[in-house]
């Protein structure tokens, strides 16, 4: 069932559009900063002339706040509602396959595509950055000098963390996908959750509650690139996603199993 769903999703244009968009940003970063290197101090991860490894780090930070949320919501929001809008969902359920298996396969493929999209960012950035700026140790914003191997290990961990931090948006878009026949509404809901979360997280009057918003610990992975790597905030970010994922997916399962599918 998962193989069938994966084949179906891989053949869709929106899959290539989504992956193409996340791959394009690191390339744009590379070309822009190669043509016009940043000047001055306190450039953070955008001190890109030092090493090509800085490119994927900067791109991961630049894309995780919005574009990855859009792409992840796109993959999750069209899973069930897309079938409904095409009128194929009822035919899919006629087959001797339980609704739980249908949902499970669709969720697994959507999560897999979201993971692939997240890893595309550092992989493309690493290739483009190395070609443009070379393969050298990196200097982090805390002025720590990291070897190539150490930087790559931390980058891999950061990428896994960023992928997990998209879980709330994926789960929300997936839940909405089981509730509506409009793929656009489901995708917009996932993106909207990310936008609203970031807005509320940046309102100083709400600082007392900011730790409950799914974007609050989104950039905690940057602590890996301090002189002495820190993971405390990352652990909190991992735990924060759990209740969102559990509640939203349980709601999706309950709703779909009690839903009259007519489309």
């Amino acid at each position: 069932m998962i193989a069938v769903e994966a084949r179906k999703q891989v053949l869709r244009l929106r899959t290539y559009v989504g992956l193409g968009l996340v791959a394009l940003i690191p390339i744009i970063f590379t070309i822009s900063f190669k043509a016009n290197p940043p000047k001055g101090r306190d450039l953070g991860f955008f001190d890109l002339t030092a090493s090509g490894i800085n490119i994927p780090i900067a791109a991961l930070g630049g894309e995780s706040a919005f574009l990855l949320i859009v792409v992840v919501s796109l993959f999750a929001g069209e899973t069930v509602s897309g079938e409904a809008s095409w009128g194929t969902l009822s035919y899919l359920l006629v087959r001797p396959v339980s609704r739980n298996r249908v949902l499970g396969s669709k969720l697994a493929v959507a999560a897999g595509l979201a993971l692939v999209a997240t890893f595309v960012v550092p992989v493309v950035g690493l290739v483009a950055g190395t070609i443009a700026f070379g393969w050298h140790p990196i200097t982090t914003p805390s002025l720590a000098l990291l070897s190539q191997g150490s930087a790559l290990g931390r980058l891999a961990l950061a990428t896994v963390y960023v992928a997990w931090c998209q879980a709330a948006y994926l789960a929300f878009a997936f839940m909405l996908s089981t509730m509506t026949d409009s793929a656009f509404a489901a995708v917009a809901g996932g993106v909207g959750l990310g936008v609203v979360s970031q807005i509320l997280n940046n309102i100083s009057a709400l600082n007392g509650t900011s730790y409950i918003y799914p974007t609050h610990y989104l950039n905690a992975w940057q602590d890996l690139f301090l002189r002495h790597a820190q993971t405390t905030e990352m652990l909190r970010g991992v735990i924060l996603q759990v209740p969102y994922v559990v509640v939203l997916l349980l709601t999706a399962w309950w709703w779909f199993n009690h839903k009259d599918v007519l489309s």
Side-chain angles (χ1 to χ4, degrees), residues 8 15 50 72 76 78 80 86 88 95 103 109 111 114 116 137-138 153 187 191 196 220 224-225 243 245 251-252:
K8 185 191 304 181
T15 301
V72 167
E78 205 207 18
V80 180
W86 299 327
T88 58
R95 297 187 299 176
L103 276 189
V109 172
V116 169
I138 70 168
V187 174
V191 176
V196 170
L224 291 172
F225 295 92
V245 172
T251 303

Side-chain angles (χ1 to χ4, degrees), residues 19 25 37 70 134 151 153 165 214 246:
L19 295 178
I25 299 302
V70 173
C165 284
V246 171

